[in-house]
Amino acid sequence: MLDDNSYRNETANVARAGSERGLPLRSSEERVLNPADGTPSSRFLRAELELNAHLRNLKFGEPVCYVYNPLLYAWDTHRCYVETYCQGGQRILFLGMNPGPFGMAQTGVPFGEVRSVVDWLKITGEVGRPDNEHPKRRIMGLGCTQSEVSGARFWGFFRKLCGEPARFFQHCFVHNLCPLIFMSASGKNLTPPDLPPAEREKLLALCDTALCQVVEVLKVSMVIGVGRVAEQRARRALSAASIDVRVEGIMHPSPRNPKANKGWEEIAKAKLIELDVLPLLSNT
């Protein structure tokens, strides 16, 4: 755990990352450090700031040439998402692995396909730029015109199912295990399993600790990994920490998955019926 001075330093880093790119300093960063009301959103953001501080010390070699952290340059929109939707009493945490280049990397929201984030979730705020950008992977923020298929499928499914975000977030929240996005020299998206084993384990050990903190903050009773890797990692981390939470999984909506391309929504719906989650979310 970081002490208050360390939290204050990390908050300053987040604010500085925005101000250096022309974004205003946010007084809400101080509310994260000293959450007078002790809300789940404040404690959630504090856990993320702590993870940021630890991730700052990691170094990555080949094949990684670029690392973006949306919890720095997209903190404003990420904070909007958390403060709007992270509530008490949510039973279910959907857990992704890490940001996609046209999703959370652009918006600061997990599975954050831009149209879903703007039109359905109604997220607002400013998005800056990472320190070192790949020329083929520029950050355009909420103005990004390229859709992320996984995010469009994920949020589009729940939009159809729930109608309004309030119904979904009454029972659920969505989070990524790792906030970092990795790219090769060519701009190819890399996921944590693509990293060298020693670097991967250092990274995921920190992310596992943060996940355990988040689960305890939210007091969820079920974690649903979106994709097998997220499910397996959550199961391992929570079991090792002796946190009594049910861990399940649904298929990842990635376009690289042939089964997902043939009908991810029906597969996801069948799994949510099996888990007895669908009745909580259906607006019919």
Side-chain angles (χ1 to χ4, degrees):
M1 298 289 290
L2 299 181
D3 59 26
D4 282 346
N5 285 335
S6 298
Y7 278 119
R8 192 167 289 105
N9 289 338
E10 187 54 33
T11 299
N13 287 329
V14 170
R16 191 177 304 113
S19 65
E20 287 173 353
R21 293 161 181 80
L23 304 184
L25 295 176
R26 299 287 177 175
S27 62
S28 60
E29 269 45 306
E30 286 303 318
R31 295 204 307 273
V32 173
L33 284 175
N34 301 294
D37 55 4
T39 60
S41 63
S42 293
R43 287 180 284 145
F44 185 95
L45 289 170
R46 186 167 176 138
E48 292 194 305
L49 284 175
E50 179 171 343
L51 177 59
N52 260 6
H54 292 304
L55 293 176
R56 194 180 300 280
N57 297 321
L58 297 183
K59 303 295 182 184
F60 300 96
E62 292 288 345
V64 175
C65 293
Y66 296 83
V67 181
Y68 295 2
N69 184 355
L71 297 191
L72 284 175
Y73 63 82
W75 178 259
D76 198 28
T77 48
H78 179 75
R79 174 192 55 80
C80 178
Y81 164 71
V82 174
E83 289 187 345
T84 302
Y85 294 118
C86 185
Q87 306 162 1
Q90 292 165 310
R91 290 174 44 194
I92 299 156
L93 179 67
F94 285 93
L95 183 71
M97 192 64 196
N98 74 311
F102 303 108
M104 186 175 176
Q106 301 290 339
T107 65
V109 177
F111 294 95
E113 189 261 345
V114 176
R115 294 277 61 82
S116 298
V117 167
V118 173
D119 295 342
W120 194 54
L121 298 180
K122 306 296 184 185
I123 299 302
T124 60
E126 301 289 342
V127 177
R129 309 279 285 271
D131 289 327
N132 184 27
E133 279 186 286
H134 192 287
K136 295 181 181 178
R137 294 288 181 263
R138 299 293 187 189
I139 296 302
M140 307 303 294
L142 300 184
C144 179
T145 58
Q146 185 157 343
S147 177
E148 182 187 64
V149 175
S150 294
R153 285 175 176 170
F154 182 87
W155 289 117
F157 169 63
F158 288 112
R159 184 174 188 171
K160 291 178 187 175
L161 195 62
C162 301
E164 296 297 328
R167 186 173 188 91
F168 176 82
F169 288 104
Q170 179 182 353
H171 303 285
C172 306
F173 193 63
V174 184
H175 176 56
N176 273 337
L177 177 68
C178 172
L180 303 182
I181 177 170
F182 305 95
M183 283 162 279
S184 69
S186 69
K188 178 184 177 182
N189 184 45
L190 302 170
T191 61
D194 297 318
L195 305 181
E199 293 180 5
R200 179 177 66 239
E201 287 311 307
K202 283 184 181 179
L203 167 70
L204 293 181
L206 295 174
C207 295
D208 287 351
T209 298
L211 173 64
C212 292
Q213 289 178 322
V214 161
V215 166
E216 292 187 318
V217 163
L218 298 181
K219 295 181 170 60
V220 295
S221 57
M222 184 187 301
V223 174
I224 301 178
V226 184
R228 189 171 299 172
V229 176
E231 176 189 355
Q232 291 174 343
R233 196 75 203 187
R235 194 182 305 279
R236 171 180 165 181
L238 295 166
S239 174
S242 300
I243 297 176
D244 185 18
V245 173
R246 182 180 177 187
V247 179
E248 299 288 348
I250 62 172
M251 180 185 293
H252 198 286
S254 170
R256 292 183 293 180
N257 183 341
K259 290 184 178 180
N261 291 335
K262 293 179 181 178
W264 179 81
E265 285 193 4
E266 290 306 311
I267 294 170
K269 183 180 289 187
K271 187 64 178 181
L272 295 182
I273 291 172
E274 177 188 327
L275 298 178
D276 204 26
V277 171
L278 194 72
L280 299 176
L281 303 179
S282 177
N283 63 358
T284 59

